[in-house]
């Protein structure tokens, strides 16, 4: 079986979306360096479908493994989706009640899916969302049926193999009522030096009482530009726990996921671990609207620069009684050249809300290094211990297995950082 | 043995310690009294080797080796350890990580568990080091780390400050273990230098030599209990007057 590398005539998008996209095709994004989309290729070679993902090339598997995607033994995964360039090369579900498929298949299978299309992210948000609409290159559809709970996480990988390609994916994740869905996604690239562009639209629909943990590890190269666009709608008693990690070089990354807590007691938690090496420009934010009674959010970011630039944003808006939000941004500058700009913002629209933030940016305190040295650690060991501690975010609600996998990915990248 | 020979030290070019001479033999515990701001902590920090405390004259000999220029971490590995009065909070670094680091190659979970139980620190092992710790918890944490480090020379900066009556007995026990007080002095390997403002720790830890430090100078060597009795009776003001009389007499 082969998937077309471009075109996507099979994706049924309505004319009105395409018209809106055309109108926004030159609209710059609110944040981030403007990227000239014309410099990227829109088509790539076809890719053979692999019924057995362990048959994928060893090098690709190794790179995917660095982002938490395991292909040699998928026993500890509830489902797997792999897309290389513009073509899904494998998708499967290993658990009843959990659906994992290419977007083109899902749209063929479910007429109702078009009702979710561009509902959590506006198609005309900027030129990148418009580009994805006008150049659809598949993406994944992951759904937990009502009451279904993943035993193991579902894994997904978007892999950029062709140099200079613009990868345009549109993903939809639906957690039906009272379901539980754990997802690990890894995005990476074959080349460690060729340029490329990753545009990924992800729409999350978390129904009443459902819980979703979404752990994304990015592992690009110094020439790749990345513009993910994410929207989340959370209903009553629903929960999103979003973990984002980028610790390897990237040319330019800008993303600002938006979560709307529309149901009573809906909760959104965002944890970001950002590392900017020299030459990397990272602009990552999280935006949460607390739109119904008792909704909660926590946005936590840890940013380290060893020479690159980081803008760490956070925005919480309280629009309903008894909502609660906290924003915490901490930045560590390891060397003189890097920059961290923390921009925490809170907006309250009524009295009965509780929003707070704290932000701190600085270098490692000499007093802390010396304290550890007084226990016999060398300066390098003491510094590494403090950096490791700084990156350690205790993520409430993350299953122990996912927590351990996340920690392993962080520790693997720490060596490069130090 | 620790020997300080004519030691003078500065902080940011200001001389704080003046011509300090001190010898602590193997197995001995010495106590240094002094009013606030007299230079007691500076002395400990200078012996430990903190870079901010610059030694301008004299030398530090530890186990027969001149360590005056030896870096902080090397001194720790040579066998000098310190309990801090106000250690920093290190966010993300767990108490357990500090014990593990102090144990070095000897670190294993069972040892850490035993040390934590001994110091009544089990519930705090998973907390960021010193974050939100009470006075007693800080001292117990410091002593637990030192028990893991097993230094031959233990420097204790105000081990009783901020500690309630429930904790002080345990603090005393932990210090006595560290200084091998259960062994006869001839069999002890460990030395201790305790600095104290109130002298309260002497009710729990035995020491045979005491000094008073005033304005960065050491005076009044003798039995620490006698020195403490004098301080309690006449206050540190008398020590200051006594030192000034001595200086006048020398002139």
């Amino acid at each position: 079986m082969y998937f077309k590398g471009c075109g996507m005539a099979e994706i049924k998008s309505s004319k009105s979306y395409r018209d809106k996209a055309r109108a926004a095709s030159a609209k710059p994004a609110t944040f981030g360096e403007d990227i000239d989309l014309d410099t990227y290729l829109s088509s790539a070679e076809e890719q053979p479908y692999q019924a057995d993902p362990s048959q994928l090339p060893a090098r690709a598997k190794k790179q995917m493994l660095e982002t938490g995607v395991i292909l040699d033994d998928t026993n500890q995964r509830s489902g797997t989706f792999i897309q290389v360039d513009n073509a899904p090369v494998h998708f499967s579900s290993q658990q009843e009640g959990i659906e994992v498929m290419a977007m083109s298949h899902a749209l063929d299978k479910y007429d109702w899916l078009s009702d979710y299309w561009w509902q959590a992210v506006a198609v005309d948000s900027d030129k990148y969302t418009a580009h994805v609409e006008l150049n659809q290159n598949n993406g994944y559809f992951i759904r937990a049926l009502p009451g279904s709970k993943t035993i193991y996480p579902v894994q997904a990988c978007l892999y950029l193999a062709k140099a200079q390609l613009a990868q345009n994916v549109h993903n939809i994740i639906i957690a039906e009522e009272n379901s539980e869905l754990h997802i690990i996604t890894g995005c990476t690239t074959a080349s460690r030096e060729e340029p490329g562009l990753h545009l990924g639209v992800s729409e999350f629909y978390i129904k009443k009482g459902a819980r979703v943990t979404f752990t994304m590890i990015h592992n690009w190269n110094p020439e790749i530009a990345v513009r993910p666009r994410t929207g989340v709608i959370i209903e009553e008693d629903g929960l999103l726990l979003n973990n984002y990690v980028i610790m390897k070089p990237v040319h330019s990354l800008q993303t600002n996921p938006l979560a709307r807590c529309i149901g009573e007691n809906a909760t959104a938690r965002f944890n970001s671990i950002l590392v900017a090496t020299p030459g990397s420009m990272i602009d990552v934010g999280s935006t949460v609207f607390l739109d119904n009674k008792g909704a909660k959010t926590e946005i936590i970011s840890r940013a380290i620069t060893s020479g690159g630039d980081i803008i760490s944003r956070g925005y919480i808006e309280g629009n309903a009684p008894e909502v609660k939000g906290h924003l915490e941004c901490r930045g560590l500058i390891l060397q003189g050249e890097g920059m961290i700009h923390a921009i925490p913002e809170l907006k309250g629209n009524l009295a009965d809300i509780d929003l707070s933030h704290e932000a701190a940016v600085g270098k490692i305190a000499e007093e802390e290094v010396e304290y550890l040295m007084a226990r016999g650690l060398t300066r390098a060991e003491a510094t590494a211990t403090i950096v490791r501690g700084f990156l350690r975010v205790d993520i409430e609600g993350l299953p122990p297995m996912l927590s351990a996998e996340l920690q392993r990915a962080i520790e693997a990248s720490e060596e490069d950082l130090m | 043995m620790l020997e300080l020979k004519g030691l003078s030290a500065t902080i940011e070019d200001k001389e704080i310690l003046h011509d300090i001479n001190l010898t602590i033999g193997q197995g001995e515990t010495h106590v240094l009294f002094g009013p606030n701001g007299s230079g007691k902590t500076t002395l400990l920090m200078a012996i430990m080797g903190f870079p901010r405390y610059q030694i301008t004259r004299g030398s530090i000999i530890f186990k027969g080796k001149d360590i005056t220029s030896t870096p902080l971490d090397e001194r720790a590995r040579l066998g000098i350890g310190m309990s801090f009065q106000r250690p920093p909070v290190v966010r993300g670094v767990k108490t357990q990580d500090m014990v593990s680091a102090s144990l070095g190659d000897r670190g294993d979970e069972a040892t850490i568990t035993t040390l934590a139980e001994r110091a009544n620190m089990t519930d705090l092992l998973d907390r960021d080091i010193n974050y939100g710790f009470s006075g007693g918890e800080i001292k117990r944490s410091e002593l637990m780390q030192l028990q893991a480090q097993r230094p031959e020379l233990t420097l204790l900066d105000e081990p009783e400050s901020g500690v309630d009556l429930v904790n002080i007995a345990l603090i005393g026990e932990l210090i006595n273990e560290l200084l091998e007080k259960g062994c006869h002095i001839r069999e002890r390997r460990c030395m201790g230098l305790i600095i104290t403002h109130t002298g309260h720790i002497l009710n729990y830890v035995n020491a045979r030599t005491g000094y008073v430090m005033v304005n960065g100078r050491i005076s009044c060597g003798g039995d620490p209990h006698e020195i403490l009795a004098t301080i309690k009776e006449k206050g540190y003001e008398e020590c200051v007057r006594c030192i000034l009389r001595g200086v006048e007499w020398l002139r």
Side-chain angles (χ1 to χ4, degrees):
Chain A
M1 190 197 306
Y2 280 78
F3 281 87
K4 290 275 186 187
C6 59
M8 294 303 296
E10 56 272 55
I11 285 188
K12 303 164 190 165
S13 196
S14 77
K15 184 175 177 303
S16 67
Y17 289 129
R18 298 186 77 78
D19 289 345
K20 279 186 180 177
R22 280 191 198 94
S25 59
K27 181 181 173 183
T30 309
F31 304 123
E33 167 201 359
D34 190 55
I35 291 169
D36 181 0
L37 298 173
D38 293 336
T39 60
Y40 293 94
L41 303 172
S42 58
S43 65
E45 293 74 29
E46 293 176 353
Q47 302 284 343
Y49 185 83
Q50 294 281 1
D52 177 0
S54 69
Q55 296 304 307
L56 283 163
R59 185 159 170 265
K61 283 194 296 182
K62 183 171 176 288
Q63 289 167 325
M64 292 181 198
L65 188 61
E66 287 173 9
T67 65
V69 174
I70 303 165
L71 297 180
D72 280 333
D73 179 4
T74 55
N75 281 334
Q76 296 209 327
R77 293 291 184 256
S78 290
T80 298
F81 173 89
I82 307 293
Q83 177 160 333
V84 175
D85 291 334
N86 294 332
V89 297
H90 176 87
F91 49 88
S92 60
S93 168
Q94 273 93 262
Q95 189 186 328
E96 204 173 320
I98 305 298
E99 297 179 333
V100 180
M101 60 187 92
M103 186 57 76
S104 49
H105 275 225
L107 286 164
D108 276 345
K109 186 172 179 181
Y110 296 124
D111 287 338
W112 50 258
L113 187 52
S114 56
D115 295 341
Y116 292 83
W117 203 245
W118 294 117
Q119 295 305 298
V121 176
V123 65
D124 55 358
S125 297
D126 55 35
K127 62 196 270 188
Y128 309 114
T129 52
H131 193 79
V132 169
E133 167 61 22
L134 297 171
N135 303 273
Q136 294 280 350
N137 295 141
N138 240 306
Y140 54 77
F141 169 77
I142 300 174
R143 179 184 179 218
L145 298 182
S148 296
K149 296 184 178 180
T150 46
I151 300 165
Y152 297 111
V154 172
Q155 60 181 0
C157 181
L158 299 165
Y159 187 77
L160 199 49
K162 186 180 173 71
Q164 206 65 42
L165 181 73
Q167 187 181 46
N168 313 293
V169 295
H170 193 151
N171 311 309
I172 289 185
I173 295 103
I174 301 174
E176 301 285 2
E177 285 192 7
N178 299 313
S179 64
E180 200 170 301
L181 191 51
H182 301 294
I183 302 169
I184 292 179
T185 67
C187 297
T188 188
T189 177
S191 164
R192 289 289 162 239
E193 55 207 24
E194 299 283 359
L197 173 65
H198 171 80
L199 300 178
V201 171
S202 299
E203 300 189 84
F204 291 72
Y205 300 94
I206 302 172
K207 306 285 183 69
K208 186 178 173 184
R211 297 168 63 88
V212 173
T213 72
F214 187 78
T215 301
M216 180 187 272
I217 298 170
H218 272 180
N219 187 353
W220 302 108
N221 79 36
E223 299 301 324
I224 301 280
V226 187
R227 292 292 183 271
R229 295 293 181 258
T230 302
V232 188
I233 294 174
I234 311 170
E235 296 181 4
E236 184 182 342
D237 292 325
L239 167 76
L240 169 76
L241 180 51
N242 186 88
N243 306 305
Y244 177 64
V245 177
I246 180 160
M247 295 183 68
K248 294 289 174 71
V250 65
H251 169 64
S252 167
L253 163 75
Q254 188 275 315
T255 184
N256 191 5
L258 164 64
R260 290 190 186 89
C261 294
I262 62 166
E264 273 193 29
N265 302 315
T267 302
R269 289 204 193 102
F270 287 90
N271 298 292
S272 304
I273 292 173
L274 317 170
V275 173
T277 50
S280 295
M281 173 63 218
I282 295 175
D283 184 338
V284 171
S286 303
T287 298
V288 179
F289 289 93
L290 301 169
D291 289 340
N292 209 326
K293 187 181 170 189
K296 289 185 288 295
T297 188
E298 190 176 59
I299 299 173
I300 293 176
S301 74
R302 297 278 185 274
I304 292 187
T305 173
S306 61
D309 294 343
I310 298 176
I311 298 175
S312 179
R313 303 175 193 274
Y315 179 88
I316 303 174
E317 187 172 314
N319 297 318
E322 297 173 35
V323 300
K324 199 170 176 176
H326 181 68
L327 217 159
E328 180 186 314
C329 172
R330 292 172 60 202
L332 203 54
I333 300 171
L334 292 186
Q335 290 164 25
E337 297 294 305
M339 183 280 286
I340 296 176
H341 186 178
I343 311 175
E345 288 185 84
L346 305 174
K347 184 179 179 187
N349 288 319
L350 66 165
D352 188 13
I353 58 168
D354 178 2
L355 305 182
S356 60
H357 77 72
E358 56 181 296
V361 175
K363 62 175 187 176
I364 295 178
E366 186 63 13
E367 183 191 23
E368 295 176 17
V369 175
E370 290 175 356
Y371 182 54
L372 270 68
M373 289 172 73
R375 301 293 181 234
L377 273 66
T378 63
R379 176 169 287 277
E381 288 167 343
T383 305
T385 302
I386 292 167
V387 168
R388 194 174 305 125
F390 181 85
L391 292 172
R392 182 190 279 162
V393 180
D394 292 326
I395 299 169
E396 190 188 330
L398 194 65
M401 188 177 96
L402 275 179
S403 191
E405 290 199 23
L406 183 60
Q407 207 54 44
R408 266 200 298 279
I410 292 169
E411 281 167 15
S413 299
E414 274 169 13
E415 290 168 18
D416 297 345
L417 178 67
M418 300 312 300
Chain B
M1 183 185 283
L2 173 77
E3 289 175 275
L4 307 183
K5 296 179 177 174
L7 195 76
S8 296
T10 61
I11 303 174
E12 288 158 8
D13 295 331
K14 186 182 177 195
E15 189 166 289
I16 307 294
L17 301 178
H18 315 287
D19 193 26
I20 305 288
N21 291 288
L22 183 76
T23 301
I24 303 177
Q26 189 168 329
E28 293 178 0
T29 300
H30 293 206
V31 178
L32 186 60
F33 301 96
N36 289 331
S38 59
K40 303 189 300 294
T41 297
T42 298
L43 179 63
L44 292 202
M45 298 299 242
I47 296 170
M48 191 69 235
F50 282 87
R52 189 164 164 255
Y53 301 79
Q54 289 289 314
I55 292 165
T56 48
R57 286 189 303 278
S59 58
I60 305 172
I61 313 293
F62 178 59
K63 294 195 292 185
K65 184 184 172 188
D66 187 337
I67 60 161
T68 314
S69 305
T70 304
L72 164 65
D73 54 322
E74 268 185 54
R75 293 191 201 190
R77 291 194 293 276
L78 277 171
I80 303 178
M82 180 164 170
S83 164
F84 294 78
Q85 189 183 1
R86 292 186 199 90
V89 171
V90 190
R91 293 301 300 271
V93 175
K94 308 289 182 196
T95 306
Q96 179 159 333
D97 299 334
M98 290 299 291
V99 181
S100 180
S102 302
L103 280 164
D105 297 340
R106 294 171 288 116
D108 61 72
E109 220 155 282
T111 309
I112 294 170
T113 304
T114 306
L115 289 169
E117 283 171 357
R118 185 73 197 89
N120 192 19
M121 288 291 293
T122 308
D123 293 344
L124 298 172
L125 278 179
D126 205 35
R127 283 255 292 273
D128 289 357
I129 187 75
N130 302 321
Y131 183 66
F133 283 15
S134 68
E137 287 167 345
I138 284 176
K139 302 302 177 195
R140 293 192 332 255
S141 163
E142 290 292 295
L143 293 170
M144 174 176 63
Q145 292 171 57
L146 286 174
Q147 291 209 331
Q149 195 180 342
R150 294 203 299 199
E152 285 180 56
L153 171 64
T154 300
L155 308 169
L156 296 146
D157 190 355
E158 305 277 4
E160 76 273 52
S161 72
V163 180
D164 58 32
L165 282 171
V166 179
N167 275 302
I168 188 77
L170 176 57
I171 299 283
E173 282 175 33
L174 294 170
I175 293 173
N176 285 328
E177 283 174 17
L178 258 174
L179 300 177
E180 298 176 325
K181 293 292 188 186
C183 306
H184 189 276
I185 189 163
R186 282 197 301 273
E187 293 161 2
R188 275 184 222 145
R189 183 185 62 104
C190 297
M191 301 167 271
L193 178 57
I194 304 173
I195 64 177
T196 176
H197 177 73
T198 63
H200 190 42
I201 194 68
L202 282 177
N203 294 328
Y204 301 90
V205 178
N206 195 23
R208 59 168 58 188
T209 309
Y211 318 91
V212 179
M213 176 172 263
V214 176
N215 294 334
R217 295 179 195 278
I218 280 185
S219 61
C220 296
D223 182 309
H225 294 278
E226 285 182 19
I227 292 173
L228 182 60
T230 308
I231 292 167
K232 279 182 175 169
E233 188 188 336
K234 299 185 175 174
Y236 280 117
E237 295 80 7
E238 179 57 27
C239 300
V240 174
R241 275 194 292 274
C242 177
I243 287 169
L244 288 176
R245 277 198 299 273
V247 169
E248 201 59 38
W249 181 82
L250 280 173
R251 280 180 188 158

